[in-house]
Amino acid sequence: MLEARLDRAAPLLRHLARHPSLEDSGWAALLDATTVQETSLFRAPEQLAALEAALPPLVLAARAAGRPLALLSAGCATGEEAFTLAAIAQHAAQAHAPGAEVRVLGLDICRTALEGAEAGEIGPHLGRPLAGVPAHYLPWFQGADGAPRLHPSLRACLGFRRASLTALPEDLGCFDVVLCRNVLIYMTESAKQAVLSGLARYMRPGALLGLGPTDTAGAPFLPFAPGLYRHG
Ligand SMILES: C[S@@+](CC[C@H](N)C(=O)[O-])C[C@H]1O[C@@H](n2cnc3c(N)ncnc32)[C@H](O)[C@@H]1O
């Protein structure tokens, strides 16, 4: 797999602008060719169950404040993590705070991954994309014919954006939940810390952060549940 990635990257290196930039076509092509897009619906289900259990007070607070419950999939790849967040949040809103609005943003640097996410395609690259979906969530991800399809209310609350976690845009918004899973693993220690500090700036006090299995977060985050942190 590494060999294939290097083969794709080698011819692109000749056309790079001197300074890395998302807007430069050479750098964009290199990022498309070398980033790893492995993802699935309901990845790490125990962590997501803990998140689901923690959502009621967050969605009630959002509704009481007259604002949407805002969730971010930071490093969303082809969108399955953002789709999962949307289903969990809509489910919590229906059960605990009817009428509450949900907004989910997926952010990534890879153009081809974002194209699939924006199209709302569920795991076209996965053999059985619904295999890990808990039974009570299947209606959010299946058409009447049983084929994988996003429920229209999920599509309506999802948005995607191309940006780097190392240079987050000023107008990103303010989030109640952020998942940044299986992304920091590719970064140096100092880049990881910079990304976590950057994300903290866009999180409300009490917001939840979910990390991948090999990552940990320090201040201003406090351990909340396995793989989950609370913005203190
Ligand atoms: C292995 S996927 C993880 C997808 C999803 N978070 C999950 O856990 O299933 C990593 C994603 O992070 C993205 N990524 C890597 N570095 C990034 C950065 N600096 N800014 C934004 N996205 C990044 C890659 O393009 C890729 O789509």
Side-chain angles (χ1 to χ4, degrees):
M1 188 201 263
L2 178 62
E3 205 175 335
R5 284 178 193 286
L6 291 174
D7 282 347
R8 286 204 298 272
L12 300 168
L13 296 176
R14 286 195 288 277
H15 305 292
L16 290 184
R18 181 179 286 266
H19 297 293
S21 159
L22 282 192
E23 309 321 318
D24 175 71
S25 59
W27 281 102
L30 185 67
L31 291 169
D32 291 346
T34 54
T35 46
V36 176
Q37 263 71 55
E38 186 181 335
T39 189
S40 59
L41 293 174
F42 282 86
R43 190 174 187 181
E46 300 80 11
Q47 184 189 28
L48 294 171
L51 175 63
E52 182 182 12
L55 277 185
L58 297 182
V59 70
L60 282 166
R63 187 181 67 174
R67 59 170 178 80
L69 182 75
L71 305 95
L72 175 67
S73 169
C76 65
T78 44
E80 282 75 5
E81 184 178 83
F83 304 161
T84 303
L85 273 181
I88 292 174
Q90 293 267 13
H91 192 76
Q94 281 184 1
H96 302 283
E101 197 189 335
V102 169
R103 290 261 153 248
V104 180
L105 178 66
L107 184 152
D108 206 283
I109 42 172
C110 176
R111 297 174 302 182
T112 45
L114 285 173
E115 276 167 22
E118 276 160 359
E121 293 167 357
I122 301 175
H125 49 294
L126 302 170
R128 295 169 57 232
L130 304 185
V133 178
H136 63 291
Y137 279 111
L138 277 174
W140 296 102
F141 298 106
Q142 248 176 344
D145 57 359
R149 193 167 307 129
L150 276 189
H151 192 281
S153 69
L154 291 195
R155 287 206 71 164
C157 76
L158 281 158
F160 293 93
R161 183 164 177 177
R162 185 162 176 267
S164 175
L165 293 173
T166 56
L168 290 167
E170 286 300 323
D171 63 347
L172 201 57
C174 203
F175 295 93
D176 300 286
V177 174
V178 172
L179 291 189
C180 184
R181 307 185 303 168
N182 309 302
V183 182
L184 301 177
I185 190 171
Y186 302 104
M187 298 184 180
T188 61
E189 195 52 42
S190 62
K192 281 182 198 180
Q193 294 314 320
V195 168
L196 290 173
S197 308
L199 288 171
R201 289 177 41 222
Y202 297 89
M203 295 174 68
R204 296 180 192 285
L208 295 175
L209 171 71
L211 297 180
T214 57
D215 303 317
T216 53
F221 298 105
L222 300 167
F224 179 79
L228 283 184
Y229 296 82
R230 193 169 182 277
H231 189 285

